[in-house]
């Protein structure tokens, strides 16, 4: 049983935070419009959607009810909120029609007539919140989105039953007003903000200045987008989380207010103090509440509010003091600046800090932060709970409510990866924890648009009390819905992927692609993986065997490209090992053979396969950047921001290849030239009898990397070539190598 205090605290949170107070008719209308966007007006007319608050459970939990369908009858979708109705609709499409809503291509062939719901089906979510996003998702994935793309994503969110999400666009425009009002000059503000591709880290105080300034048109566009995003999210009854002041200020504030008490933080992410070491306002300085409330007042005047605010003061940054009294004061100051403007404020905190720097965050430090905000007013995201849950070692965040989040992805990397068993069990285990204060489940990936199966499972868990009983059966039906046909080979391929790449457990599960393919080569690269590579090759073979039946499915072609990509990534490790062995044995011919295949045949062939699918094009990512601009100068600037993020990340490769992606164009012009340089340098070293010098190689590699970043070559934003033909060619040539794993 829950402790009394906790129950009261959670009740407080449920009462104050948004959702159930809006207009039910408006939410039903929003879901009807979603239906038309998803299925078209004809098929949408076969559904009847309504929203009734009274459908919620006694404790106020979102509920949907399905009924009707069959010959001549409309399918009735009833929800306690718009989000609940959308989730019910998705459930019907998924479980009764065998449909699949996906980033990589939806499968929406409806049976005719629409299947009947034999018995009225009512489902309630087990918890108050289903959360979505990470502060970093805004930079790694949403960066250049226009309204059309946002609209798709908000539809996806609604269908997946998400009712709590960050809405952080446009905040720099508001900050600019605040800083101008405080007396900073436009130049000082321009010097402070990062460029568009690095705003996430500007917002968390990790970075400033780097790759800025933001053009005036950026602010205008983001304000416009934010209004539309908020309006749409609210129309479904979702709660948008707005940003709040966390304590970081521009250095120029000390020019305007020479007496202000600020502390300069340490550097972050191998950036020097020209770009990091931000200034933190002392919690007891009178400017703290002033700046914080100026910002929140201006923000909520512009956008309204649903009373939940996100702020991260010490994300990946060592606080200036480990004294609990200091940490409590720094935390209380953030909360008080919120409540000064909005007495109902609830603070959403990314719990990443506790798990990222466990050596700093001992029990006393954690307790200081958690105890500085009244119970029920600090909503903690246990951000990486599928791997390193924090609730278990903090007595369920000491009574503060928390959301069990799956992080899954770092840097928006490609690479098949998932810890599905752990994700499947995690939320139920957290609910059973003694005195658990779990109030929701969530997805907090740094980047989206990959490994869709993992997100499908997590979204489903937001509406299940218990784990999926048989993941093998679950993934089999996932494959059938995804392709719209049950195909034995394709389903077998998915079961192999499930037991290998998607069944990571233990220390290696960090969702970061460390394949040598996407890393700067050295003689010490790690090639071990947590799965049996033969499973990937067998899945590859099985998918190819299914092509005659499934080639017309966009999601199938996507998977064929993606699994081919994965197989190539395994092959790169194999040829790299051969190169290294040959080099160490001083055998020139095998070295040149392996290096030649890797850099001159395999990677170019991968680039061609990637070029055949619209989801794997550097060209479309860069085109999105250019389309966000209003002048050629701006287009060039945005493109360069993007190229930096994908590769060097900072001026000197400060977080080199963190956000690596396997995109056509990037493989051919960035990863392949680096591997050619490595193969040639090793061969040269054997020929000359001079040992390989990593330091010198790094310098030369940097030149190549920088040349790519500063380059202006335009890449196709439309796919070219036939995926199936290209994959077959690659398969025939390289599948026999599978025997060497
Ligand atoms: C749960 O809460 C109750 C009431 O506060 C307390 O007595 C009990 O020790 C707690 N259990 C655990 C395992 O912390
Ligand atoms: C930081 O690094 C940049 C180059 O990346 C350099 O121009 C600048 O002078 C450095 N700043 C400091 C404070 O060292
Ligand atoms: C400045 O702030 C720090 C941190 O809160 C505090 O320890 C220090 O006493 C303050 N200094 C002054 C001069 O107020
Ligand atoms: C995943 O691996 C664990 C062992 O680590 C095993 O018990 C489990 O059955 C595996 N799950 C699947 C779906 O293969
Ligand atoms: C990997 O799978 C293959 C094919 O099933 C099998 O022959 C091989 O023994 C496995 N390797 C390991 C290390 O389990």
């Amino acid at each position: 049983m829950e402790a009394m205090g906790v129950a009261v605290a959670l009740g407080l949170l449920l009462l104050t935070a948004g959702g159930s107070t809006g207009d039910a008719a408006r939410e039903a209308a929003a879901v009807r419009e979603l239906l038309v966007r998803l299925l078209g007006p004809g098929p949408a007319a076969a559904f009847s959607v309504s929203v009734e608050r009274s459908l919620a459970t006694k404790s106020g939990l979102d509920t949907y009810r399905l009924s009707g369908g069959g010959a001549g009858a409309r399918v009735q979708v009833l929800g306690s909120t718009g989000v609940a109705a959308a989730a019910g609709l998705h459930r019907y499409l998924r479980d009764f029609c065998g449909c699949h809503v996906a980033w990589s291509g939806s499968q929406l062939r409806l049976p005719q007539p629409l299947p009947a719901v034999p018995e009225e089906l009512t489902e309630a979510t087990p918890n108050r919140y289903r959360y979505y996003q990470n502060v970093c998702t805004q930079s790694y994935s949403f960066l250049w989105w226009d309204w059309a793309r946002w609209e798709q994503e908000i539809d996806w969110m609604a269908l997946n039953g998400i009712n709590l999400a960050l809405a952080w666009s446009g905040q720099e425009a508001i900050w600019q007003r605040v800083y101008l009002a405080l007396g900073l000059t436009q130049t000082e503000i321009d010097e402070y903000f990062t460029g568009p591709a690095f705003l996430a880290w500007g917002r968390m105080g990790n970075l400033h200045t780097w790759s800025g300034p933001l053009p005036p048109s950026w602010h205008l566009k983001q304000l416009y987008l934010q209004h539309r995003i908020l309006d749409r999210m609210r129309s479904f009854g979702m709660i948008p989380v707005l940003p709040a002041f966390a304590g970081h200020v521009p250095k120029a504030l000390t020019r305007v207010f020479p007496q202000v008490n600020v502390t300069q933080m340490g550097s972050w992410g191998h950036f020097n103090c020209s770009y990091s070491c931000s200034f933190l306002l002392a919690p007891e300085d009178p400017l703290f509440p002033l700046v914080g409330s100026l910002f929140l007042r201006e923000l909520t005047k512009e956008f309204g509010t649903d009373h939940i605010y996100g702020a991260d003061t010490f994300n990946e940054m060592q606080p200036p003091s480990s004294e609990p009294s200091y940490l409590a004061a720094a935390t209380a100051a953030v909360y008080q600046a919120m409540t000064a403007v909005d007495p109902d404020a609830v603070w959403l905190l990314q719990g990443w800090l506790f798990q990222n720097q466990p050596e700093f965050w001992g029990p006393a430090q954690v307790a200081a932060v958690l105890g500085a905000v009244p119970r029920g007013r600090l909503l903690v995201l246990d951000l990486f709970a599928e791997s390193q849950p924090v609730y278990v070692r903090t007595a369920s965040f000491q009574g503060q409510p928390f959301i069990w989040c799956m992080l899954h992805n770092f840097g928006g990397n490609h690479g098949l990866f998932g810890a599905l068993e752990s994700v499947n069990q995690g939320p139920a285990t957290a609910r059973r924890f003694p005195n658990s204060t779990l109030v929701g489940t969530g997805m907090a990936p740094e980047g989206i648009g990959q490994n869709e199966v993992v997100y499908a499972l997590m979204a489903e868990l937001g509406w299940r009390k218990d784990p999926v009983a048989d993941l093998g059966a679950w993934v089999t039906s996932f494959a059938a819905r995804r392709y719209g046909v049950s195909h034995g080979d394709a389903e077998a391929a998915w079961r192999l992927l499930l037991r290998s790449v998607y069944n990571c457990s233990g220390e290696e599960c960090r969702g970061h692609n460390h394949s040598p393919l996407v890393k700067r080569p050295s003689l010490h690269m790690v090639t071990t993986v947590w799965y049996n590579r033969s499973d990937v090759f067998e899945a590859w073979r099985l998918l190819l065997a299914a092509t005659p039946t499934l080639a017309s499915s966009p999601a199938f072609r996507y998977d064929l490209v993606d699994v081919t990509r994965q197989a190539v990534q395994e092959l790169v490790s194999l040829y790299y090992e051969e190169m290294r062995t040959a080099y160490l044995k001083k055998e020139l011919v095998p070295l040149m053979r392996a290096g030649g295949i890797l850099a001159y045949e395999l990677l170019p062939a991968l680039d061609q396969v990637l070029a055949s699918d619209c989801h794997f094009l550097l060209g479309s990512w860069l085109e999105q950047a250019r389309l966000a601009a209003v002048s050629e100068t701006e287009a060039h600037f945005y493109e360069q921001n993007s190229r930096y993020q994908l590769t060097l990340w900072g001026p000197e490769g400060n977080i080199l290849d963190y956000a690596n992606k396997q995109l056509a164009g990037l493989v051919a012009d960035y990863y392949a030239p680096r591997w050619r340089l490595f193969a040639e340098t090793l061969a040269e070293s054997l020929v000359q009898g001079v040992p390989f010098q990593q330091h010198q190689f790094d310098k030369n590699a940097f030149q190549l990397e920088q040349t790519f970043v500063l380059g202006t070559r335009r890449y196709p934003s439309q796919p070219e070539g036939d995926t199936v033909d290209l994959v077959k060619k690659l398969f025939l040539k390289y599948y026999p190598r599978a025997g060497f794993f």
Side-chain angles (χ1 to χ4, degrees):
M1 287 303 288
E2 282 182 357
M4 202 49 201
V6 171
V8 170
L10 298 186
L12 189 68
L13 184 72
L14 297 183
L15 279 182
T16 52
S20 58
T21 51
D23 177 351
R26 182 187 182 213
E27 291 176 23
V31 179
R32 280 185 218 112
E33 284 161 23
L34 183 165
L35 247 176
V36 172
R37 284 191 293 277
L38 191 69
L39 303 177
F47 292 81
S48 153
V49 177
S50 42
V51 170
E52 278 175 29
R53 299 284 182 238
S54 59
L55 189 64
T57 67
K58 261 191 246 129
S59 46
L61 295 172
D62 273 354
T63 305
Y64 59 74
R65 175 171 297 157
L66 302 174
S67 60
R74 294 215 288 177
V75 176
Q76 310 281 329
V77 181
L78 184 63
S80 57
T81 60
V83 165
L89 171 67
H90 189 213
R91 168 82 182 272
Y92 177 78
L93 293 172
R94 190 186 72 201
D95 291 357
F96 290 82
C97 304
C99 290
H100 181 58
V101 177
W103 289 314
S104 51
S106 295
Q107 190 287 104
L108 295 165
R109 275 201 304 276
L110 295 171
Q112 287 304 338
L114 286 179
V117 181
E119 260 177 74
E120 192 176 80
L121 173 80
T122 305
E123 195 77 70
T125 177
N127 301 107
R128 172 74 176 89
Y129 297 112
R130 278 88 49 209
Y131 170 78
Y132 178 46
Q133 289 182 32
N134 180 305
V135 172
C136 302
T137 332
Q138 303 261 329
S139 288
Y140 285 132
S141 294
F142 310 161
L143 173 56
W144 307 117
W145 284 4
D146 56 10
W147 169 243
R149 183 62 188 83
W150 268 110
E151 179 169 60
Q152 271 177 31
E153 195 70 7
I154 299 170
D155 283 353
W156 179 93
M157 286 159 56
L159 289 163
N160 283 299
I162 285 153
N163 65 350
L164 182 69
L166 302 186
W168 278 28
S169 303
Q171 61 177 286
E172 285 73 24
I174 306 297
W175 272 121
Q176 174 159 290
R177 290 182 204 160
V178 170
Y179 294 144
L180 286 171
L182 285 167
L184 272 70
T185 66
Q186 187 63 47
T187 310
E188 286 168 334
I189 297 168
D190 288 344
E191 282 169 1
Y192 179 62
F193 290 138
T194 67
F198 300 92
L199 283 176
W201 301 277
R203 291 166 179 177
M204 294 185 289
N206 307 122
L207 286 182
H208 54 85
T209 315
W210 162 236
S211 90
L214 293 173
S217 70
W218 172 266
H219 293 303
L220 277 176
K221 285 196 167 205
Q222 295 301 311
L223 277 179
Y224 159 82
L225 274 177
Q226 173 76 348
H227 276 289
R228 295 204 75 164
I229 291 165
L230 289 172
D231 188 53
R232 182 59 59 80
M233 285 172 68
R234 287 172 179 150
S235 78
F236 285 120
M238 279 176 202
I239 303 167
V241 179
L242 295 176
F245 178 54
H248 314 107
V249 291
K251 184 177 183 208
L253 200 72
T254 62
R255 176 191 63 76
V256 184
F257 301 98
Q259 306 301 317
V260 67
N261 184 358
V262 293
T263 311
Q264 189 164 21
M265 314 268 277
S267 65
W268 176 85
H270 311 293
F271 277 86
N272 68 22
C273 291
S274 297
Y275 303 117
S276 68
C277 319
S278 62
F279 287 85
L280 191 64
L281 201 43
E284 60 273 20
D285 195 288
L287 267 185
F288 200 109
L290 180 73
V291 175
S293 55
L294 270 178
F295 174 70
L296 206 61
R297 197 163 288 122
E298 189 63 26
L299 185 84
T300 53
K301 196 176 88 195
E302 179 79 31
F303 299 130
T305 185
D306 301 80
H307 311 294
I308 304 189
Y309 304 95
D312 299 287
T313 307
F314 300 122
N315 186 72
E316 297 189 358
M317 286 193 297
Q318 178 103 344
S321 159
S322 60
E323 274 300 314
S325 61
Y326 167 78
L327 295 168
T331 306
V334 172
Y335 176 67
Q336 279 157 15
M338 284 180 201
T339 47
V341 176
D342 181 352
D344 293 333
V346 170
W347 175 2
L348 184 87
L349 174 76
Q350 297 191 118
W352 179 253
L353 71 172
F354 302 135
Q355 108 43 61
N356 182 249
Q357 287 180 305
E359 64 294 343
F360 177 90
W361 292 99
Q365 286 70 30
V366 173
V369 166
L370 296 175
V373 177
R375 279 257 176 109
R377 294 308 184 109
L378 186 68
L379 179 51
V380 187
L381 301 174
D382 203 348
L383 214 67
F384 193 23
E386 80 274 32
S387 178
Q388 290 164 37
V390 175
Y391 76 87
V392 289
R393 58 182 170 84
T394 54
S396 199
F397 293 100
Q398 306 195 356
Q400 294 287 15
F402 79 98
I403 297 182
W404 189 101
C405 293
M406 169 192 92
L407 199 156
H408 179 257
N409 182 276
F410 291 87
N413 294 174
H414 290 112
L416 299 183
F417 162 78
L420 285 189
E421 291 277 12
S422 150
V423 167
N424 189 30
Q425 298 299 329
T429 306
R431 272 180 213 115
R432 284 194 307 268
F433 192 72
N435 297 341
S436 175
T437 48
L438 178 108
V439 293
T441 51
M443 306 185 234
E446 287 190 351
I448 60 161
Q450 30 67 37
N451 293 295
E452 213 148 22
V453 65
V454 181
Y455 297 83
L457 177 67
M458 189 61 228
E460 194 173 322
L461 290 171
W463 289 84
R464 295 180 65 108
K465 288 169 193 65
D466 300 309
V468 168
D470 179 350
L471 279 180
W474 182 87
V475 88
T476 302
S477 84
F478 171 85
R481 286 187 287 106
R482 189 162 166 82
Y483 307 142
V485 185
S486 167
H487 190 290
D489 288 334
E491 290 167 2
W494 272 98
R495 285 191 296 269
L496 285 175
L497 295 176
L498 171 67
R499 79 171 192 194
S500 56
V501 290
Y502 289 121
N503 193 22
C504 193
S505 62
E507 283 303 298
E508 292 139 341
C509 293
R510 289 194 60 96
H512 216 141
N513 194 358
H514 288 295
S515 164
L517 195 167
V518 293
K519 295 278 158 186
R520 188 191 276 172
S522 80
L523 286 172
H524 307 285
M525 303 182 95
V526 176
T527 57
T528 50
V529 291
W530 64 91
Y531 49 89
N532 185 339
R533 288 184 160 110
S534 297
D535 286 342
V536 173
F537 275 77
E538 186 59 6
W540 192 26
R541 188 187 69 74
L542 288 164
L543 283 186
L544 205 53
T547 46
T549 319
L550 300 181
S552 65
S553 150
F556 176 79
R557 287 201 307 276
Y558 175 95
D559 291 341
L560 188 62
V561 170
D562 204 23
V563 173
T564 303
R565 183 202 53 64
Q566 188 72 19
V568 169
Q569 160 169 331
E570 314 301 355
L571 288 161
V572 166
S573 291
L574 183 76
Y575 288 111
Y576 163 71
E577 293 287 4
E578 286 184 14
M579 285 171 74
R580 176 163 62 186
T581 306
Y583 176 78
L584 295 176
K585 289 184 173 165
K586 300 195 179 2
E587 293 174 353
L588 185 61
V589 173
L591 168 68
M592 290 177 69
R593 190 192 314 120
I597 294 175
L598 195 171
Y600 286 94
E601 294 178 21
L602 187 59
L603 293 183
L606 172 62
D607 200 80
Q608 281 191 335
V609 170
L610 297 170
S612 73
D613 190 286
C614 63
H615 298 92
F616 293 92
L617 304 180
L618 176 65
S620 48
W621 186 235
L622 298 184
E623 188 182 66
Q624 278 185 51
R626 302 184 65 88
L627 286 173
V630 297
S631 69
E632 181 51 36
T633 316
E634 226 175 84
H636 178 69
F637 168 65
Y638 285 176
E639 176 169 351
Q640 221 169 74
N641 252 258
S642 262
R643 288 178 179 238
Y644 264 116
Q645 191 202 73
L646 292 168
T647 58
L648 293 174
W649 221 101
E652 289 154 324
N654 309 50
I655 314 184
L656 183 65
D657 298 318
Y658 180 91
N660 65 72
K661 313 255 179 322
Q662 292 168 49
L663 300 173
L666 198 60
V667 171
D669 283 0
Y670 180 74
Y671 301 127
R674 212 160 57 175
W675 274 102
R676 290 201 288 271
L677 181 68
F678 186 62
E680 283 154 18
T681 309
L682 289 184
E684 191 64 17
S685 142
L686 285 192
V687 171
Q688 306 283 346
V690 184
F692 172 77
Q693 299 281 348
Q694 186 71 45
H695 180 69
Q696 187 55 45
F697 174 76
D698 287 348
K699 276 192 178 165
N700 296 341
F702 178 73
Q703 292 308 318
L704 280 183
E705 291 152 357
Q706 199 177 40
T707 301
F708 171 80
V709 170
L710 303 179
T712 54
R713 179 168 168 196
R714 301 293 277 274
Y715 295 89
S717 56
Q718 294 299 320
E720 287 169 4
D722 182 84
T723 300
V724 174
D725 285 350
L726 290 162
V727 169
K728 267 186 194 153
K729 246 170 73 183
L730 221 151
F731 179 83
L732 286 175
K733 183 153 177 193
Y734 292 102
Y735 180 73
R737 299 291 312 200
F740 290 84
F741 290 124

